[in-house]
Amino acid sequence: LAKTTQPISMDSYEGQEVNITCSHNNIATNDYITWYQQFPSQGPRFIIQGYKTKVTNEVASLFIPADRKSSTLSLPRVSLSDTAVYYCLVGDMGQAGTALIFGKGTTLSVSS
Amino acid sequence: NAGVTQTPKFQVLKTGQSMTLQCAQDMNHEYMSWYRQDPGMGLRLIHYSVGAGITDQGEVPNGYNVSRSTTEDFPLRLLSAAPSQTSVYFCASSNQDRRGTEAFFGQGTRLTVV
C-alpha cells in the first residue's frame, strides 16, 4: 500500500472552506484514494473515494491531479460538527487481501 | 439493517484473563477486520479476513487470535489480557471490488485491562 502523508492538525472557523491535502507519491496504477472521518468515541465513517480528477458528493469534494501523487479533500462551509479526525487511505481495495491501513490522520478543529 | 455490531461496548479485565470481543455484520460482506485505537493515535490493524475460513495478520497481531467460521461473524480473542491491550477496538466489514470499497465500522469496544 502507498504511504500517505497528511497534516497532523488544522484549525478553521465556521463557514469557511477547509482543504486537507494528502501526499501519496508512490501511488500505484490500481490504487484508489479514500477518505474517512472519525468523531470521538465512534468508528470511522466513509466520506468519499476517487481515482482521478474530481469527485463530489453531498458531504465533500475530492480533487486528484493528473499525476495522482496527491489529493485534496475539500469541506465546504464547515460547521462545529465537522470537528473530527480525517484519514486519507490509498490502496488497491479491489485486490483480495488488501487491508485498510490508517495513519494518524488530520485532526480538524472548527471554532465559532 | 444493523450494519456492524460489536459487543460488549465496555469491558474491564484483570491481567491474565481471557475474553472474546464479538463482531457481527448483516451485509453479507466478504471482508472483515479488527483494529485497535490508542489515545491520540490512528487505527492499527490487528487481524483481517477475506472470507469464511481465511484470516491473516495485520500490523499488531501479537496477543490476539481470530477465526472466521461464518461470513457474518469475526470474533477477536484475547487469551491472556495484558495492560498494554487497554484500548478501543473497532471491527469493520466491506465488500471489495475493482471500483474500490467502502468499509463500515462498528461503534467500538472500550477495553481496560487492570
Side-chain angles (χ1 to χ4, degrees):
Chain A
L1 292 174
K3 178 179 170 59
T4 61
T5 302
Q6 53 183 123
I8 295 296
S9 64
M10 295 183 69
D11 297 313
S12 182
Y13 291 97
E14 285 189 291
Q16 289 187 331
E17 178 185 73
V18 171
N19 296 309
I20 306 175
T21 297
C22 179
S23 173
H24 28 81
N25 291 321
N26 296 323
I27 190 169
T29 302
N30 289 336
D31 287 346
Y32 280 78
I33 301 157
T34 312
W35 286 80
Y36 283 81
Q37 175 190 56
Q38 185 181 27
F39 297 115
S41 301
Q42 293 187 25
R45 182 175 72 108
F46 173 93
I47 302 177
I48 197 166
Q49 185 176 75
Y51 184 80
K52 61 181 179 180
T53 63
K54 176 184 175 182
V55 180
T56 298
N57 62 21
E58 65 278 6
V59 176
S61 294
L62 179 59
F63 298 92
I64 306 168
D67 66 5
R68 304 201 326 124
K69 293 185 183 299
S70 67
S71 58
T72 299
L73 175 72
S74 181
L75 305 172
R77 297 182 297 281
V78 295
S79 64
L80 295 176
S81 63
D82 291 315
T83 294
V85 180
Y86 293 82
Y87 297 96
C88 167
L89 284 73
V90 172
D92 183 359
M93 307 305 179
Q95 183 178 14
T98 298
L100 293 178
I101 303 295
F102 287 77
K104 294 185 179 180
T106 297
T107 299
L108 173 66
S109 300
V110 181
S111 304
S112 58
Chain B
N1 281 343
V4 179
T5 303
Q6 291 183 235
T7 56
K9 288 184 170 53
F10 301 94
Q11 182 71 48
V12 179
L13 287 179
K14 293 183 179 179
T15 297
Q17 284 186 319
S18 63
M19 81 159 295
T20 300
L21 307 186
Q22 301 291 345
C23 177
Q25 54 94 5
D26 60 1
M27 297 172 281
N28 201 32
H29 285 166
E30 299 168 346
Y31 186 94
M32 297 185 73
S33 53
W34 276 102
Y35 294 84
R36 62 175 288 175
Q37 186 171 36
D38 301 313
M41 301 287 289
L43 286 81
R44 290 186 292 171
L45 181 66
I46 305 172
H47 285 284
Y48 64 99
S49 169
V50 299
I54 306 170
T55 64
D56 206 348
Q57 297 181 346
E59 302 169 279
V60 289
N62 292 339
Y64 308 94
N65 282 348
V66 293
S67 60
R68 185 93 178 272
S69 57
T70 68
T71 299
E72 295 78 19
D73 301 298
F74 190 43
L76 178 71
R77 282 185 289 275
L78 285 72
L79 296 179
S80 180
S84 60
Q85 294 178 305
T86 293
S87 189
V88 181
Y89 291 84
F90 290 102
C91 177
S93 76
S94 62
N95 255 343
Q96 291 175 280
D97 59 40
R98 279 293 167 186
R99 295 169 299 170
T101 188
E102 173 182 351
F104 295 84
F105 284 79
Q107 288 299 300
T109 294
R110 187 173 297 273
L111 175 67
T112 302
V113 182
V114 297

